Structure formats: structure tokens, C-alpha cells
Amino acid sequence: MADLKPDELIARTNFTPPKTGWMDTPTVIREGMFCYAAKPKSVATLGLPYPREWNPLNDDWKLPENWKEIIIEGMKDRLERFRTFKIFMDICVRCGACADKCHFFIGTGDPKNMPVVRAELLRSIYRNEFTKAGKILGRIAGARELTLDVLKEWWYYFFQCSECRRCSVFCPYGIDTAEITMMGRELLNLLGLNIDWIATPVANCYMTGNHMGIQPQAFVDMLDFFADEIEDTTGVRVHPTYNKKGADILFTTPSGDVFGDPGTYTAMGYMILFHYLKERYGLDVTWSTFNSEGGNFGLFTSNEVMKRLNIKMYAEAKRLGVKWILGGECGHMWRAITQYMDTMNGPADFLEEPVNPITGTKFENAKSTKMVHIVEFTADLIKHNKLELDPSRNDNLKVTFHDSCNPARGMGMFDEPRYVIKNVCNNFYEMPRNCIREQTFCCGSGSGLNASEDMELRLSGGLPRANAVKYVQEKHGVNMLACICAIDRAVLPPLMGYWVPEVDVTGIHELVTNALIIPGEQEKTVNLRGEDIPNKDEMDPDEYYTRPDFSGR
Amino acid sequence: MNEKYLYPLMAVIALFLVAYVGVEAVGLQWLFGIIIPFMALITFVVGFVMRVNDWARSPVPFAIPTTCGQQESLPWIKPNKIDNPFTTGGVIIRMALEILLFRSLFRNTTCKLNEGPTISYVWEKWLWLFSLAFHYSFLTVLVRHLRFFLEPVPSSLQILDKLDGFLQIGLPGVMISGVVLLAAAMFLLLRRIVISQVRYFSLAADFFPLFLIIAIAVSGIMMRYFTKVDIVGVKELTMGMVTFHPHIPDGIGAIFYVHVFFVSVLLAYFPFSKLMHLGGVFLSPTRNVRCNTRAHRHINPWNPKVKVHTYAEYEDDFREKMIGAGLPVEKEL
């Protein structure tokens, strides 16, 4: 990918579709645009069907003899179990409102990345097998035979969708391509056709408790290392607790933040915050090594696998006897928690309805899942003046905020992160309206596509996001992109490096703890990244929230 | 490429010929005026009900609304009660705006890749506007036609006629709804042919209903303004249908039977086509559920039993290492 300059990459993007119709345009699986096939060991760990070595570039995918039958049966079964699937197969009028809403279409110009066509890849088979019109009229009714080429096309394009749901916002019938992609991937998984970047994290998470496969002793080591780092920059020693029975709150966050920069600074941020709350208010938050993953790549595999991974959250909360669960900054984790967890693994009647013991705030909106988002939690603390903050410590930053797809369109968390940022940073600038909040653009690497071998796909798909960042960089000198998603923190740095150099990426809780005045801290001269802290000047954070340009709602 | 619209166009022309020849040359007024419309209506009603029933038979295992506004959260943060509805009332408003005003389509933008590169997103209101015009004019035309099936004609329908014809151009007065219907349908058709992206994913099944509706509108307009159909005869026929005393009055031109035949085909085709979005829009699970999934548990009727890796198994795998790292364990070595 390094050999293709941004200009060259964009020059290849052309919104004019090819002369041949999509059914007659064969799909060529191209390097850089796909992730490697799932390793048999990972598929077998979960006991999923047909683990084997196979290569997407080979003609022979080593499919079982009766693969067609398996797919058709799988479709039938899912049509009966999911009303979404049935309705989304039947009612699309192909108005095209979704067509240019997809970041992968905008970035690649490949018409099969138009959400409508992505869905038609599946619908054409549905019509052929399950509708009278399709059976009688065939192609005229938009039906086609299920062939090996069709299956390969499915695989290629259902792993070129990041399930971000942006198209669904614009669809007059609410047709959700994420749901269609999820069905497509469930079907592909019936034949063992997962990608390794999903299958192996899933297997790791199942066995060791997190996607990265970090074993318990290593997990403790890593957090200890962070504690050393924190001590170096702040002079304060934090003492995280692990698997502690009887703690007030169980904390769960993506292991990606324990593993790689700049997520590690966010992880340090959590540790400092919990230390602060322990010292000041006696709040006892514990981490778990068994439940050391907030993310859930099962969501990208099948609903059953999602359930098998998610079940650990409640199981561990129950075993430790905590009051409720606090969840870290993560995107698809919060889609799973908001829209699936309680249904799948609830009711969590062994937990208490979450109350912030420091402020007394009842989190009414989470009274059934018993799981609170840390940004909601921190926003509540700040609102009640429970955190001593000095936002001028972030004055070297001009911050913009990237709404991550899932907290945006699967939850609706928009104002809480902005409130927190504006209270810990003095310089905040919004990207243009069509690129934020419910219309936010995906990082281009969501839904398990954040591997390295598909970098061209990621950089193409990330173009709309990067372009909006570039806009505020040029207009306001923005140099920091804040986000509340661990995948974002892993993938936005290379994306920015490619399209918008000089813009760095941060989690919100890194910003919070930069500004947080920790009891007993040494005079801070550097932040967690070891960068110089600018000189203090007086600034009222509330002023920023009430400013007329606050695009809050 | 053009087979996508040539086939449907030919099909509509063929339908015209079938009805025209059937009535003019063969004298099948009974077939086209009474039997086919009845059968079409039955097909429509039964087909529609069966299709909706079929959808409803499949459960909604997960509540997966698309949240398009601020969630209900802390008391001092103002939630968007319509685009992220926490309550049933909010859902009703959201659905009403969706169904009556095409709210999601209203958001539509067009993406442009410019030099730089910069990408711009421009508000695209035409599709929304013409879709709305199309559906409402169609509805008005439909309601106006009730006058053929009611005797006496209710005053509300007469008022509607007055409103629809308020321009008072020509004799008989021009009904705006008919003109708008034709214009909007033409827009939707041309859009599919002219915009290369839209043409690319359009199917024959997208062109056929448009040609058919245009044919319906044209034949209706022909009757009203040009061939001046025998309106008394038509009313006699339609009243005969609703009172189940069907009979064919003399002197109604063939164009009437063509018009009725087109409508019959549309009705019969409806339940088997994308036109079912009329029913589907009410049932779309990303719009019609409350966004309160963290406060109220949604039940999945087939919630599967799954194999899990328990904490006990995990501890068995790592006990020694956990003890070494000072982690508490349930069972000592």
C-alpha cells in the first residue's frame, strides 16, 4: 500500500459504473482488499463447521460437496428466525438513497460496494430460491443461480462492509445493510468461510478471555507496566485490582487498549481515574482477567458466537458479586451491549440497578443491562464537580471528535463525549455536519476488517472520515482526533498518517486524565505520552459547553 | 443494459393490446370490465394479507433500531425523543414521520469527489420531493375514484374534487393530482434511466410498475380530457360491481377497459413485488421499536442454548500462572 500515493489511490476512484451489469461483471478477488482466510485451529476452537486450510486466491476453496444445500437451508432457517432478513429481502425499491452513503463505495468507486448492490448480491439468490417471481421470470425479476462465483462474491463483499449502518439512516424503509452483511457472514460461516482476523480473536477471547490472547499473568504484567509509566509521568502509584470479589464495580474494556498505542494511554487514563475515585471517594473498581475483553468479534461471526463470548460479562460480574458493570470506550462492544446482551444473556437480576455512588445519579437508561458506559459515568462526575480538572493541560491540542459508528447508530451517544471533551480541553472543533453524529463515517476498518493485509481497502474506506478531518485540520489547525472506540484507536493512526499527516488519535479518557489533578501528583511537565504540557492559563470549561457554536443537538 | 426497461415497456404495450383487442375486436367487455377486476382485487387483498402474515410469522429476535439522535441518558442531557425514541409515543411519531413524510429520505445527500481531493455532500431533495408528490397524488387520485363506487357521493369527496381542480383550467377542469402523478412518475422513470448509478442497480422489476402506473395515468387522462368517456355508463358499471349485480352498459369506449385492465394488473402484481414496501415500511425493525434496550429487556423467542467456556475451565487452564501473578483463585493448587 505504501507504494500507492494518496493521489494515485483516489485517481482510481470513479463513480461511473462499468458498462456491464453487476450480474455480468465477474468479481476478481484482489490483494489488498481482503483479509486472510480463517486458520483451521481457530475455527475448530469454537467447534464451528469445516475448519480447513484454504486460500481465497485459489480456485478451490475446499468446500463440502453439499455446500449449496447448506447455504439454501441456512437462508431458509434465517428467514424463519429473523423478520429483518425477510423484510429486507422483500421491500427494497432500489431508490438508491443508500448508494453513495457507504464509505467503501465512496473510497473505492466499486459499484458492488453500493449498499443496495451489496444487498442485491444476496437478494438475487433469495429471489431465485424463495420467490415465485424469481423462479418463473429468472433474471428479469432480478434472480440468479447460486454458483461458486456468487459464493466468492459474497465472501469478498460481505467482508468489505464494516456494518457501520450509515446507509440505514438514509433508507426510507430502514433497511440495514449491517443486518444483511451479518446474515451473509452467518451463511459463509456455515461453510467455514470466515476471515482470520475475526476467527482468531474469537478463539482467543473464548479461551483466554480477550481477543489478543493475553493470558492472566501477562495481563497483570501489562497493567503493572502502565502503572510504572503513570508513576514516571505523575509521581503517583496506582494499584489496580484484578478479579476482586466484592468490589463495587466490574470494569470491562477492549483488550486492544491494553495492547497497542495510542489505546494504551486510554487504558492508563482508566487506571488513573479509578485510582482517583478510590482515593477521593473510596470507590472500588476491579478489572477481570477472565472477562478482559469488552469487544466481541462474535458479532461479526454469528449471533450464537456473539452470545458465547458475551456471556462472560454477566458470569464474571455474578461470580465477583459486584453491584454493576462499567464498560470502557469501544464501538461494536456497545452495539452488542446495547442491542444484544440483555436479550441474549440477561436478565442480570443478580446485579443492582446502576447508581453512581459518588453523585447519587441513577442510570435509568441502563437499569436492565446494569451496564454503564464510562463516558456517561465520567460526564456525570464532571457535571457534579467530582473531578478536579485543569483543561489547560490539553492546550497543546486542537481536538475534533469522531463519532464511532456503533455508539452513534446503535446507541445514540453523541452529547456525553462532547460534554466530557469540552470540560477537559479548551480547543474543540466539530467536523462538518454530514460527517458526524448519526451521519458519521466509519474508520474504514470496523467489523473485524482491521487486519494489515487489507490495508488498501482500509485506506480507501477511511477516505471520507480522513477527508472530514483534513477539513478541520486546514480550517482550525486540528491536531488531535478523539474517539471512543478501540478499533478506531488502532486504525485511525495509519489512516491519518496516510491522508492527513500531523493528526494524532486519542481516547477521551486519555484527555480526561491529562486534565485530572491527581491527589499527591508531582508537578506535571509531561503528559502520558511524554509530551510537554503547555503553560497554564485560566479558562472556564463551562464556557465551552454554552458557546453558541456547540453543535450539541 | 436496456433490456431492463425494454422488456417492461414491451410488457405494458402488450397488456394494452390484449385489452384493446379483447374489447374492440372480440367483445370481451365482461372479462375485462368485471371478471378480471374482481379476480385482481381478490389477489391483491389475499396476497397482501398473506405476505404481511408471512413477515409477521418470523420473530424479531433482537431489538436493533437505528438510532438517529441523542439517546435517553443523563437527566441533564436532552434526548432526541423522535429519532431515538425511548417511549412508544416516540416510536409512533417516528413511524408517522417516516410513513407520511419520508423523513429518512429527506436526509438524502449526494456525494461528490472534487479536486484536492475534497469530498462534498450536498442535500439532495429532489428524490424526496418527487417521491412524496408521487405517493400523495396517487393517493388523491385513488380517493377521488371512490366517487365511482359510492352513491350518493359523500360531500368530502366533492370537496376533494374541488380542491384538486381549484385551478379551474379547461373543461372538464384539470385535476392537479393526475398531472402531478404523471409528472412525478416520469421523474422517477427518467431518474432510473439517466443517472448511471441508479440505472446500474435498477431491475426490470423497477421499471415495470413505473411504466404501468404511467400507462394508468395516461389512459385515465385520455378518458377524462380527450376521448370523454361515457361517465354515466362507467358509474353504472362500477355501482353494479359494488352491489354485486355486475352488468356491462353499452357505449363505454375500449380505453376504459384498457385503463381498468392496467389497474387490475397492478393490483394483482402488487403482493408479489417490491410494491409491498407499502406494508413493509410499517414492520421495519430498525424503525418501529423503542430505543430502550438497556432499560427494558427484549425477549428472543428462540434464544439458543450455547456452549460456553466457563470461569472454572479458564481457571483450570491458567491456575498456576494466576497464582504466580498473585491473582485470587477459586481452587488452590
Side-chain angles (χ1 to χ4, degrees):
Chain A
M1 201 49 231
D3 46 324
L4 210 55
K5 300 245 168 358
D7 294 350
E8 296 164 344
L9 184 67
I10 210 155
R12 300 192 320 191
T13 299
N14 180 359
F15 288 171
T16 313
K19 292 238 173 348
T20 51
W22 63 263
M23 278 195 204
D24 302 316
T25 313
T27 291
V28 181
I29 294 179
R30 194 158 62 78
E31 294 252 26
M33 301 298 278
F34 69 88
C35 299
Y36 296 147
K39 292 201 180 84
K41 186 164 170 274
S42 300
V43 178
T45 302
L46 270 285
L48 298 176
Y50 304 109
R52 65 188 182 281
E53 292 281 355
W54 63 284
N55 183 342
L57 293 173
N58 290 352
D59 286 341
D60 181 10
W61 282 15
K62 302 181 190 168
L63 297 165
E65 280 291 301
N66 59 339
W67 69 267
K68 254 187 230 187
E69 207 179 302
I70 295 172
I71 292 283
I72 301 301
E73 272 307 303
M75 284 180 80
K76 185 162 178 280
D77 170 47
R78 279 159 188 78
L79 287 164
E80 278 159 19
R81 279 192 292 147
F82 294 88
R83 188 180 298 168
T84 43
F85 191 26
K86 242 184 201 171
I87 287 184
F88 295 166
M89 288 294 104
D90 277 336
I91 66 170
C92 175
V93 301
R94 287 161 297 281
C95 73
C98 59
D100 57 0
K101 306 303 177 285
C102 175
H103 52 284
F104 282 123
F105 173 65
I106 296 172
T108 64
D110 182 344
K112 287 180 188 170
N113 271 326
M114 291 193 256
V116 51
V117 180
R118 199 187 308 282
E120 288 289 314
L121 301 178
L122 192 49
R123 265 189 212 117
S124 52
I125 305 305
Y126 163 78
R127 291 192 195 103
N128 200 52
E129 302 291 335
F130 299 96
T131 70
K132 286 197 181 61
K135 278 181 182 151
I136 298 165
L137 294 171
R139 267 184 75 115
I140 298 177
R144 62 172 176 170
E145 274 297 320
L146 177 57
T147 63
L148 186 59
D149 286 337
V150 169
L151 187 76
K152 291 182 174 182
E153 189 174 59
W154 280 7
W155 184 83
Y156 193 53
Y157 287 104
F158 290 135
F159 289 102
Q160 283 192 27
C161 167
S162 55
E163 305 183 358
C164 81
R165 309 178 100 202
R166 188 170 190 266
C167 49
S168 155
V169 169
F170 297 88
C171 176
Y173 315 114
I175 295 172
D176 180 10
T177 305
E179 187 74 0
I180 289 167
T181 295
M182 285 161 82
M183 291 298 138
R185 290 187 182 184
E186 285 205 6
L187 295 171
L188 291 164
N189 267 283
L190 296 176
L191 302 174
L193 297 175
N194 207 344
I195 59 172
D196 196 53
W197 200 259
I198 294 174
T200 293
V202 163
N204 284 342
C205 191
Y206 191 66
M207 298 307 291
T208 62
N210 58 70
H211 288 158
M212 298 292 172
I214 307 166
Q215 297 192 354
Q217 74 288 358
F219 192 84
V220 173
D221 273 354
M222 287 163 126
L223 263 61
D224 273 351
F225 172 73
F226 293 166
D228 294 342
E229 293 276 297
I230 292 166
E231 194 170 6
D232 284 348
T233 53
T234 67
V236 174
R237 183 75 198 180
V238 301
H239 301 281
T241 64
Y242 308 94
N243 305 356
K244 183 181 171 187
K245 285 194 176 176
D248 295 322
I249 291 169
L250 169 65
F251 179 64
T252 301
T253 202
S255 62
D257 281 341
V258 179
F259 196 76
D261 292 346
T264 49
Y265 305 115
T266 303
M268 291 181 210
Y270 300 143
M271 292 166 73
I272 293 171
L273 179 68
F274 298 151
H275 171 82
Y276 181 97
L277 298 176
K278 174 86 181 169
E279 292 291 302
R280 290 293 283 277
Y281 307 106
L283 186 72
D284 194 359
V285 180
T286 190
W287 300 65
S288 163
T289 58
F290 171 60
N291 176 34
S292 45
E293 182 59 63
N296 190 330
F297 274 27
L299 174 66
F300 312 136
T301 306
S302 71
N303 71 85
E304 285 87 2
V305 173
M306 172 176 19
K307 178 173 178 173
R308 291 168 73 180
L309 300 187
N310 173 264
I311 208 160
K312 275 191 288 218
M313 286 198 192
Y314 281 151
E316 186 68 341
K318 189 173 187 179
R319 186 181 76 86
L320 298 178
V322 297
K323 295 194 177 80
W324 48 272
I325 312 171
L326 184 65
E329 298 177 15
C330 179
H332 72 276
M333 157 182 173
W334 277 96
R335 171 104 202 270
I337 290 165
T338 305
Q339 302 195 327
Y340 295 99
M341 174 157 85
D342 202 10
T343 299
M344 288 179 159
N345 293 317
D349 42 19
F350 45 88
L351 297 174
E352 293 175 13
E353 288 185 12
V355 174
N356 186 341
I358 299 164
T359 63
T361 301
K362 277 181 92 164
F363 296 99
E364 294 278 355
N365 64 333
K367 68 179 179 196
S368 184
T369 53
K370 275 97 171 175
M371 187 141 178
V372 176
H373 196 294
I374 192 156
V375 173
E376 296 170 329
F377 181 69
T378 302
D380 179 54
L381 290 171
I382 293 173
K383 182 73 182 174
H384 289 86
N385 288 318
K386 298 296 180 189
L387 299 182
E388 207 184 333
L389 297 166
D390 176 4
S392 71
R393 289 178 180 182
N394 282 318
D395 275 356
N396 53 332
L397 305 178
K398 293 192 172 181
V399 180
T400 190
F401 179 64
H402 161 65
D403 287 281
S404 309
C405 315
N406 286 296
R409 292 179 282 261
M411 194 178 184
M413 199 167 77
F414 301 118
D415 289 337
E416 298 89 338
R418 286 173 171 79
Y419 177 79
V420 173
I421 292 173
K422 283 168 185 182
N423 275 280
V424 299
C425 299
N426 287 322
N427 309 309
F428 176 72
Y429 302 95
E430 288 280 14
M431 284 180 272
R433 184 63 185 86
N434 287 327
C435 310
I436 54 166
R437 298 175 75 86
E438 77 280 0
Q439 298 192 22
T440 187
F441 276 107
C442 178
C443 59
S445 309
S447 83
L449 306 182
N450 50 323
S452 50
E453 62 268 20
D454 63 336
M455 192 52 95
E456 183 180 341
L457 174 74
R458 290 173 48 191
L459 295 177
S460 305
L463 170 65
R465 168 43 73 230
N467 208 254
V469 175
K470 195 172 174 201
Y471 177 84
V472 282
Q473 183 198 35
E474 284 168 1
K475 194 167 175 195
H476 305 291
V478 161
N479 58 9
M480 187 56 93
L481 177 59
C483 59
I484 46 169
C485 170
I487 290 181
D488 282 335
R489 284 187 284 276
V491 305
L492 287 174
L495 185 75
M496 292 300 115
Y498 189 76
W499 293 108
V500 207
E502 311 293 311
V503 174
D504 225 326
V505 178
T506 181
I508 286 188
H509 278 78
E510 181 188 345
L511 299 175
V512 170
T513 42
N514 275 344
L516 189 68
I517 299 167
I518 315 163
E521 69 178 13
Q522 67 197 20
E523 181 157 6
K524 274 204 215 173
T525 53
V526 289
N527 61 21
L528 290 172
R529 298 188 186 201
E531 298 161 347
D532 289 338
I533 290 176
N535 287 332
K536 287 187 178 191
D537 69 338
E538 296 301 314
M539 193 65 87
D540 176 14
D542 265 353
E543 186 196 321
Y544 280 83
Y545 188 57
T546 51
R547 257 167 33 170
D549 62 349
F550 176 64
S551 70
R553 48 193 66 93
Chain B
M1 266 316 251
N2 52 15
E3 79 211 23
K4 286 187 196 165
Y5 45 89
L6 281 184
Y7 284 155
L9 181 62
M10 278 157 29
V12 172
I13 293 171
L15 291 172
F16 166 78
L17 290 174
V18 165
Y20 193 81
V21 173
V23 170
E24 281 287 287
V26 193
L28 293 172
Q29 273 83 345
W30 265 88
L31 181 66
F32 289 98
I34 293 172
I35 297 171
I36 288 177
F38 259 125
M39 284 168 56
L41 191 66
I42 291 167
T43 311
F44 171 75
V45 173
V46 173
F48 195 101
V49 170
M50 279 175 66
R51 182 54 81 86
V52 172
N53 209 33
D54 180 50
W55 290 335
R57 253 203 351 259
S58 294
V60 180
F62 307 109
I64 54 158
T66 313
T67 55
C68 301
Q70 171 60 39
Q71 67 167 347
E72 174 91 20
S73 106
L74 298 162
W76 45 272
I77 289 177
K78 189 171 165 250
N80 185 328
K81 290 177 192 284
I82 295 167
D83 292 322
N84 194 339
F86 196 76
T87 61
T88 306
V91 173
I92 291 170
I93 297 171
R94 185 184 205 191
M95 290 303 291
L97 289 174
E98 203 65 86
I99 291 163
L100 301 175
L101 295 175
F102 307 173
R103 181 178 173 79
S104 291
L105 198 55
F106 185 68
R107 296 190 181 100
N108 196 16
T109 54
T110 300
C111 163
K112 285 208 176 66
L113 206 56
N114 313 309
E115 286 298 307
T118 59
I119 308 173
S120 53
Y121 312 92
V122 185
W123 186 39
E124 206 289 298
K125 59 262 175 214
W126 300 113
L127 176 59
W128 171 78
L129 193 67
F130 278 94
S131 301
L132 207 62
F134 173 79
H135 284 86
Y136 274 101
S137 57
F138 207 152
L139 180 67
T140 310
V141 169
L142 209 64
V143 172
R144 273 205 288 109
H145 276 67
L146 287 177
R147 63 159 45 244
F148 291 108
F149 302 94
L150 298 167
E151 187 59 49
V153 177
S155 56
S156 52
L157 282 183
Q158 300 191 10
I159 294 167
L160 180 68
D161 268 13
K162 280 228 172 66
L163 286 173
D164 204 357
F166 87 101
L167 286 179
Q168 299 196 335
I169 304 170
L171 201 73
V174 168
M175 293 292 187
I176 299 164
S177 57
V179 177
V180 173
L181 175 62
L182 188 59
M186 288 303 290
F187 171 87
L188 295 176
L189 175 67
L190 287 175
R191 184 178 167 273
R192 280 200 191 276
I193 296 172
V194 173
I195 304 175
S196 62
Q197 273 177 26
V198 184
R199 187 174 63 231
Y200 192 73
F201 53 72
S202 289
L203 301 173
D206 298 315
F207 287 103
F208 179 65
L210 278 171
F211 283 125
L212 195 57
I213 289 166
I214 289 168
I216 289 169
V218 169
S219 55
I221 287 170
M222 287 285 288
M223 268 190 290
R224 182 176 168 86
Y225 304 106
F226 301 102
T227 68
K228 311 271 163 107
V229 72
D230 172 12
I231 202 83
V232 178
V234 169
K235 178 103 186 199
E236 211 179 304
L237 186 148
T238 51
M239 287 311 294
M241 284 176 87
V242 283
T243 53
F244 293 103
H245 292 94
H247 93 114
I248 298 288
D250 293 331
I252 306 177
I255 190 85
F256 168 77
Y257 294 97
V258 169
H259 183 70
V260 170
F261 185 54
F262 282 148
V263 174
S264 303
V265 171
L266 186 69
L267 281 174
Y269 175 73
F270 201 106
F272 308 99
S273 70
K274 68 165 193 173
L275 302 177
M276 277 307 290
H277 66 269
L278 169 63
V281 67
F282 289 89
L283 284 172
S284 183
T286 57
R287 294 286 189 272
N288 73 359
V289 296
R290 290 176 293 174
C291 304
N292 64 352
T293 40
R294 290 163 71 200
H296 291 278
R297 182 167 181 246
H298 177 88
I299 304 290
N300 174 0
W302 50 262
N303 196 9
K305 286 238 177 326
V306 292
K307 190 172 179 296
V308 299
H309 192 69
T310 62
Y311 174 80
E313 289 167 296
Y314 167 87
E315 197 182 291
D316 287 346
D317 291 345
F318 295 112
R319 185 167 293 109
E320 207 167 324
K321 289 169 175 170
M322 288 174 77
I323 292 169
L327 289 167
V329 287
E330 299 276 340
K331 261 199 302 193
E332 292 298 330
L333 273 177

